[in-house]
Amino acid sequence: MHDKTKLDTKIAANLILTITQRLSENELERIRGVTMTAKECLSEVQRLQTIIEIKQKRIKEIRESVSTIQTIYFDLEKVQDGKCTDRIGEAVDKIVDLEKEVESDIIHLLYQQHEIINQIHKLDNWRYIKLLFKRYIEWKSLQTIADEMNFTYQYVLELHRKALKAFEVANKEILQKEHRY
């Protein structure tokens, strides 16, 4: 039994050694959770925008429901029992809380956009800068970017891949520090 455990341990160690030899240093860092990719970093702006949009939609829905509550209760003249005002008060409190969150999220979004723009500006190639700005700040499709830059879609795909790689090289320290997982 003891020999089988030694054999299993040796097999496992050899397997790990084989796998790690085949992986690049960047892949190993990502597996260890040390860095985030350029795409993850650049996509943070879109993630924040999505969160803000969802909260703004929720505020609109709550406002509409308050309006419906008021109309129903006023039409039925049931305001006197206090149920209407409690529900409206809760809804107003939720709206106020969400609006504060959205305001804070917008400030964070603006800060994050500024930081990402500065990170993009570290690149030496103007095409990389323009492409990454259009893709990750303006959120244009690669096809739209190709049309605007008068390049083929295939060329923009290749340029995007190279720009992401250049972004990772230029911002390696930041990508390591900003890992969120």
Side-chain angles (χ1 to χ4, degrees), residues 7 15 17 25 27 30 57-58 63 66 72 77 83 93-94 97 101 117 139 145 148 166 170:
L7 182 62
L15 182 60
L17 181 62
E25 190 58 35
E27 290 169 326
R30 286 193 189 110
K57 183 179 179 191
R58 185 69 185 129
R63 280 198 171 114
V66 167
I72 291 169
E77 298 178 349
K83 290 180 183 173
D93 288 344
K94 185 64 177 170
D97 290 344
E101 287 179 27
I117 290 168
W139 286 101
I145 295 168
E148 289 179 0

Side-chain angles (χ1 to χ4, degrees), residues 43-145:
S43 295
E44 182 65 12
V45 170
Q46 186 179 34
R47 186 186 75 79
L48 291 170
Q49 286 175 332
T50 301
I51 289 169
I52 291 167
E53 289 168 7
I54 289 169
K55 288 179 181 178
Q56 288 173 329
K57 183 179 179 191
R58 185 69 185 129
I59 290 168
K60 183 180 176 191
E61 290 168 354
I62 294 170
R63 280 198 171 114
E64 288 171 0
S65 71
V66 167
S67 162
T68 304
I69 292 169
Q70 287 176 326
T71 303
I72 291 169
Y73 278 103
F74 288 131
D75 287 347
L76 298 175
E77 298 178 349
K78 292 187 176 179
V79 178
Q80 293 85 5
D81 66 9
K83 290 180 183 173
C84 174
T85 54
D86 289 343
R87 290 178 66 190
I88 292 172
E90 289 171 9
V92 168
D93 288 344
K94 185 64 177 170
I95 290 170
V96 169
D97 290 344
L98 281 171
E99 285 177 339
K100 286 179 184 175
E101 287 179 27
V102 167
E103 185 178 315
S104 175
D105 291 344
I106 289 171
I107 291 168
H108 183 64
L109 170 66
L110 293 173
Y111 173 79
Q112 195 69 29
Q113 280 179 325
H114 177 74
E115 289 296 310
I116 288 175
I117 290 168
N118 286 340
Q119 292 166 357
I120 290 171
H121 287 167
K122 288 182 183 178
L123 303 177
D124 294 329
N125 185 317
W126 69 268
R127 288 182 177 122
Y128 294 170
I129 294 169
K130 195 170 192 175
L131 186 147
L132 293 179
F133 184 85
K134 287 178 177 289
R135 181 73 180 125
Y136 295 100
I137 301 300
E138 296 178 350
W139 286 101
K140 294 182 178 182
S141 71
L142 292 177
Q143 182 61 58
T144 300
I145 295 168

Side-chain angles (χ1 to χ4, degrees), residues 11-50:
I11 291 171
N14 283 337
L15 182 60
I16 291 169
L17 181 62
T18 303
I19 291 170
T20 55
Q21 287 172 342
R22 291 183 182 170
L23 297 174
S24 71
E25 190 58 35
N26 285 344
E27 290 169 326
L28 285 172
E29 286 177 354
R30 286 193 189 110
I31 290 169
R32 291 184 201 124
V34 175
T35 62
M36 66 188 320
T37 66
K39 206 176 236 185
E40 289 170 335
C41 178
L42 293 165
S43 295
E44 182 65 12
V45 170
Q46 186 179 34
R47 186 186 75 79
L48 291 170
Q49 286 175 332
T50 301

